[in-house]
Amino acid sequence: MMDNILHIVPYTAQHGQFILSQQMNHKVLEADRHYINVDGDAKNLEQDHLAFTGIVNDQAIFAAGMKMIWGQVAEGWVIATSEMWKHPLGVAKAIKKDFARVAKENNITRVQTSIRADFKEGLRFAEWLGLEEEGLMKKFGFDGSDQYMYARIF
C-alpha cells in the first residue's frame, strides 16, 4: 500500500542491507561506500531493542540505533538512503524521539559517534540531538578523513 507515511519498526539486518546497497543520503558520504561491507555491516548493527528503521511505502529509508561498546557506553549510528530527504522532518523527529528512548530503556549513560568533519549537515544534526563535540580526530575516517567525536551523557 502506498500511503507515504513514515512507519517506525524494529531494525533488522535486511533493512540495513537494503539501505547500505542504495545511494547514500549525502554526496559527502559517498566516499565511505568503498569501505562498506553491506552484509557484514548491516548484521553488525543488529542488537535487540537498540535500533529502529523508518519505512515508507514498504521500503526502508533510514535506520538508526546504538551498538554497545562496553558497560553502559554505546556508539550511535544512522544510515539512510537519499529517499529520506523526501521526509526530512519526520525522519529527524523519529530519530530524536527514539534516540532518547533507546538510551533510557537500556540504561545507557553515554552515547558517542564520529562524524566526518566535512559533513556539515551531520554535525548540525548531532548537535540537534543533544550531542556535544568532544574533539577533532585527524585521519580517523575509512578514507583518512578527519572526523569529530560527539557524545551525549544521560
Side-chain angles (χ1 to χ4, degrees), residues 78-96:
V78 175
I79 55 175
T81 71
S82 59
E83 288 293 307
M84 62 86 50
W85 292 112
K86 293 180 181 176
H87 310 274
L89 281 172
V91 169
K93 287 179 180 180
I95 292 172
K96 187 170 190 170

Side-chain angles (χ1 to χ4, degrees), residues 97-112:
K97 175 185 170 216
D98 285 325
F99 176 79
R101 177 191 57 79
V102 167
K104 183 177 181 181
E105 288 177 0
N106 291 281
N107 219 15
I108 294 169
T109 58
R110 175 188 170 89
V111 177
Q112 64 184 38

Side-chain angles (χ1 to χ4, degrees), residues 5 23 33 48 61 73 91 117 125 152:
I5 296 173
Q23 177 183 353
R33 286 187 70 75
D48 288 343
I61 65 168
V73 177
V91 169
F125 185 63
R152 180 170 170 184

